[in-house]
Amino acid sequence: MTARPVMKHLLAALAVCTVLLSPAGATDTPQAAPVKTLRYALKVAETGFDPVRISDLYSRSLTAHMFESPYTYDPLARPTKIVPLVAAGEPEISADFKTFTVRIKPGIYFADDPAFKGRKRELTAQDFVYSIKRFADPATNAQNWAGYEDAGLVGLAELREQVLKSKRPFPYDTDVAGLLALDRYTLQLKTNEPRPRLVESILTGNDLYGAVAREVVEFYGDRIMEHPVGTGPFMLKAWRRSSQMVFERNPGYRERHYEAEPAPDDAEGQAILARLKGRSLPMVDRVVVDVIVENQPRWLAFLNNEHDFIERMPEEFITQAAPGGHLAPNLAKRGMQAVFTLAPDVTLTCFNMEDPVVGGYTPDKVALRRALSLAYDVKKEIQLARRGQAVPAQAPAMPGTSSYDPDFKSEMSEHDPARAKALLDMYGYVDKDGDGWRDLPDGRPLVLVRNTQSDSLSRAIDELWDKALRAIGIKLQLKVQQWPENLKAAQAGNYQMWPVGSSASQPDGAGLLQYYFGPAAGTYNLPRFKNARLDDIYRHVQSIPDGPERQALFREAKRIAVAYMPYKVHNHRIITDIQQPWMSGFRRPLFSQDFWQYVDIDPGKQPVR
């Protein structure tokens, strides 16, 4: 054999060895980064995704990630701080607090959608004009129209009234003096009365105040609740109603980086900032939101690593997860982290003021509601049903808002069955037929119907209500439905009693008065309560600056609310959220609903699903 053939075979063998020894899949093209997926569950089903048509917290927690308002909240600042989002900077505000000028950043685009017919669609000031007008359009049945009505934009309520009287379609192309796009990027709002807090009330909050494109609304028509299209960091990709929603990163989202200003002494906030400062937003690529109504399977899904965090830890498992306000050692050993927050919220029982049994303003009707309140033991609810995850509420004012006063006391949290019985006896609610149950003063049976849900917390609280009312001789019936069905019934006034929770969407405490404001009946004012003095207070506090006069009006309003009791106020919740070791950056927002873009997932630590 000659040297040349030997060398030829040797080189061939070396080539084979080189291929065999190269790392699998090694090429000149870099490997794609792993997809970061955030997965968790809601305990209540969504109702839809059109900001103008929704009011429930669960749907709003989803729309907040697809739409964007001019301003938002710093993700770490405590106390909260409003910062520009799609606005180019701080608003220009006139000295009399009646004119507000906001400039929108150029170069921000809506997510691609067939409604735009293949064109890139830039966000303009006119989009906010149109979006606000949608709230004034009676055809949308806007749940948050009361907020814009309270703002008092010059000419807007008058235009709405003209439409209601004429029964013609809303004239979207008609100029409104208090709502103008001065040019492509400049939005101007003018109010009839001073509105010192207008920016936080209707220009901050992606969930309700984000811009919607007119082309999208007209393209999808009655199906707009199913087709959210905004400028936000995420897009809806799949939806199985009341079961699962899949969101993906908006590929056309602008360049945006993590910025925040936690307080210097806020160790937790400073640690998050050090880890995430300057990172491109959003940090995750995909979000899967399941709907799991029952608490046990939702808790087990988290423990089995199927979910990356569990929000609003179910009360019946809190002693396993965080006994005494500290993360359980077995979970801490797994690297989990807990976040505890006294929420700016309140839980209440609504009484339909138009119901012939529990409604009404006469002394006997007020006495009945007060007796029901005194019969119910709020502290027992906190201890047994909520496992200590709440504090008693004295009024509907929420912690962290300007109307909250920790020194205000009322009978809302008192438990006094003897007084309850005395009130009922005094006003003729006695057992007239000898069957062991109290009757109405006219002799008809006194039977209360409480709308409720089937989840375990609702069942525990229903049981407490049943025991409390039995103890004073009142019969209670339960009407169990899905939460969206109960909401529709309450909005239509077709209910007697229904428990709800409400979270503040802004630091201004005037929001609590919306729940009692007569013109908001059927939306925020689910009891359909009407009181001229309280309505006047609500209108007045909108126009005056924070200070002693405003605080005095808040106290007067709370006393009216306690005296008539259209709501039985229960408690303010302590929310416990727990994140897995591969998730970082979560801090519960106080007044906004968006957080997906501010958290990160480490796929290297995340189990394969």
Side-chain angles (χ1 to χ4, degrees):
M1 182 180 291
T2 64
R4 187 177 297 274
V6 171
M7 183 63 67
K8 180 178 179 181
H9 290 298
L10 180 60
L11 289 173
L14 287 172
V16 171
C17 289
T18 300
V19 172
L20 292 176
L21 293 172
S22 296
T27 66
D28 292 335
T29 304
Q31 287 186 324
V35 174
K36 295 183 178 183
T37 299
L38 167 67
R39 187 162 189 164
Y40 70 104
L42 295 178
K43 66 177 183 179
V44 174
E46 75 295 341
T47 57
F49 307 104
D50 183 9
V52 79
R53 297 175 187 270
I54 62 172
S55 62
D56 64 286
L57 183 66
Y58 307 98
S59 298
R60 288 167 51 196
S61 73
L62 304 171
T63 58
H65 298 92
M66 296 179 284
F67 299 95
E68 292 182 309
S69 53
Y71 298 92
T72 189
Y73 290 97
D74 182 303
L76 297 179
R78 301 289 187 273
T80 54
K81 177 184 177 183
I82 293 175
V83 295
L85 182 55
V86 301
E90 299 296 325
E92 295 177 9
I93 304 174
S94 64
D96 61 0
F97 294 106
K98 289 186 178 182
T99 302
F100 302 78
T101 304
V102 178
R103 288 177 174 81
I104 306 301
K105 292 178 186 175
I108 295 176
Y109 294 89
F110 284 92
D112 291 340
D113 189 83
F116 301 131
K117 298 178 170 52
R119 296 180 297 108
K120 292 285 289 181
R121 174 60 161 78
E122 188 180 24
L123 174 70
T124 68
Q126 187 61 42
D127 292 314
F128 285 103
V129 171
Y130 172 74
S131 299
I132 293 174
K133 285 181 176 178
R134 288 190 73 219
F135 281 89
D137 184 352
T140 65
N141 189 30
Q143 299 302 298
N144 196 42
W145 162 243
Y148 285 101
E149 186 176 33
D150 296 339
L153 300 180
V154 177
L156 187 60
E158 291 80 1
L159 183 59
R160 174 184 167 89
E161 191 61 31
Q162 291 173 18
V163 172
L164 286 168
K165 289 180 178 178
S166 68
K167 298 183 179 180
R168 294 177 179 174
F170 192 90
Y172 282 95
D173 294 321
T174 297
D175 284 342
V176 174
L179 180 58
L180 295 173
L182 301 183
D183 57 38
R184 185 171 179 83
Y185 302 113
T186 306
L187 173 69
Q188 185 183 79
L189 305 181
K190 290 187 175 183
T191 61
N192 292 304
E193 301 293 335
R195 288 293 181 264
R197 293 157 292 274
L198 185 85
V199 172
E200 71 178 68
S201 64
I202 63 170
L203 294 176
T204 305
N206 302 336
D207 51 340
L208 298 176
Y209 308 121
V212 177
R214 184 170 183 172
E215 303 97 304
V216 174
V217 176
E218 294 177 349
F219 185 80
Y220 290 108
D222 292 340
R223 297 179 295 130
I224 187 62
M225 282 281 270
E226 307 167 19
H227 295 278
V229 180
T231 62
F234 293 93
M235 306 165 57
L236 178 67
K237 279 303 192 182
W239 181 25
R240 296 203 308 269
R241 190 180 294 271
S242 301
S243 177
Q244 186 186 81
M245 292 141 284
V246 178
F247 303 84
E248 291 184 0
R249 174 201 294 265
N250 175 1
Y253 195 61
R254 65 191 179 277
E255 184 176 347
R256 185 179 165 208
H257 299 94
Y258 192 102
E259 298 177 358
E261 294 184 4
D265 59 352
D266 179 359
E268 178 187 86
Q270 290 291 344
I272 295 174
L273 180 64
R275 181 185 182 98
L276 301 178
K277 184 177 181 179
R279 295 278 300 276
S280 294
L281 301 180
M283 291 178 275
V284 299
D285 305 296
R286 188 168 173 264
V287 180
V288 179
V289 182
D290 298 315
V291 177
I292 305 178
V293 174
E294 289 295 330
N295 287 334
Q296 185 178 42
R298 192 165 70 254
W299 171 230
L300 291 176
F302 174 73
L303 288 180
N304 292 334
N305 297 335
E306 296 169 26
H307 290 155
D308 302 305
F309 93 115
I310 183 165
E311 68 158 4
R312 300 177 182 272
M313 182 68 207
E315 288 83 357
E316 64 261 47
F317 300 109
I318 197 68
T319 53
Q320 298 178 30
H326 299 282
L327 186 66
N330 62 311
L331 301 184
K333 189 175 181 180
R334 291 173 59 176
M336 296 179 182
Q337 292 184 326
V339 179
F340 303 96
T341 308
L342 176 60
D345 76 359
V346 64
T347 65
L348 323 99
T349 292
C350 304
F351 297 111
N352 183 356
M353 295 296 286
E354 296 178 354
D355 181 78
V357 177
V358 299
Y361 300 84
T362 56
D364 59 316
K365 298 298 187 181
V366 174
L368 174 60
R369 293 191 297 274
R370 287 187 60 205
L372 298 177
S373 176
L374 289 166
Y376 186 74
D377 192 343
V378 168
K379 293 180 181 178
K380 186 172 287 187
E381 174 189 321
I382 293 173
Q383 177 189 2
L384 299 180
R386 298 190 180 277
R387 305 298 199 274
Q389 295 295 287
V391 297
Q394 306 294 334
M398 306 177 198
T401 66
S402 58
S403 60
Y404 182 73
D405 178 2
D407 295 326
F408 181 84
K409 303 299 179 186
S410 75
E411 70 176 38
M412 282 290 189
S413 63
E414 291 182 15
H415 175 230
D416 193 337
R419 281 176 61 199
K421 291 177 181 179
L423 272 171
L424 294 170
D425 292 343
M426 182 183 301
Y427 286 94
Y429 295 96
V430 296
D431 179 9
K432 297 179 183 295
D433 58 10
D435 66 352
W437 298 102
R438 292 180 185 269
D439 299 301
L440 293 167
D442 63 7
R444 290 178 297 132
L446 172 56
V447 179
L448 301 183
V449 179
R450 174 180 163 90
N451 285 23
T452 186
Q453 292 79 238
S454 61
D455 61 277
S456 55
L457 176 61
S458 294
R459 291 196 300 269
I461 295 176
D462 293 340
E463 184 177 341
L464 292 174
W465 267 106
D466 183 62
K467 289 181 178 179
L469 297 191
R470 281 177 178 272
I472 61 171
I474 293 179
K475 184 180 293 185
L476 178 68
Q477 294 180 353
L478 301 177
K479 185 176 182 180
V480 181
Q481 300 182 115
Q482 291 289 328
W483 195 90
E485 282 69 38
N486 280 329
L487 176 62
K488 290 177 183 176
Q491 290 169 341
N494 297 325
Y495 79 105
Q496 195 174 79
M497 300 168 57
W498 184 43
V500 296
S502 180
S503 296
S505 60
Q506 56 190 327
D508 181 25
L512 83 92
L513 301 183
Q514 280 187 320
Y515 298 104
Y516 298 84
F517 187 50
T523 55
Y524 283 99
N525 181 359
L526 291 176
R528 298 171 174 262
F529 179 66
K530 294 179 176 63
N531 180 276
R533 176 55 185 159
L534 200 146
D535 290 350
D536 288 342
I537 292 174
Y538 182 45
R539 293 187 179 99
H540 189 45
V541 298
Q542 301 294 319
S543 61
I544 60 176
D546 292 324
E549 179 187 3
R550 204 164 188 256
Q551 288 302 316
L553 290 171
F554 281 142
R555 285 193 294 273
E556 182 182 353
K558 285 184 278 192
R559 292 190 187 103
I560 294 172
V562 172
Y564 283 96
M565 205 164 290
Y567 298 95
K568 160 65 175 177
V569 176
H570 290 232
N571 47 62
H572 308 297
R573 290 170 288 194
I574 297 171
I575 298 177
T576 301
D577 305 291
I578 305 177
Q579 59 185 1
Q580 298 278 11
W582 51 84
M583 176 177 162
S584 61
F586 178 78
R587 169 172 274 192
R588 172 162 290 280
L590 295 180
F591 301 113
S592 59
Q593 303 300 328
D594 52 315
F595 69 90
W596 300 348
Q597 66 270 39
Y598 300 126
V599 301
D600 194 20
I601 294 291
D602 184 346
K605 296 180 180 178
Q606 189 179 42
V608 177
R609 293 168 180 158

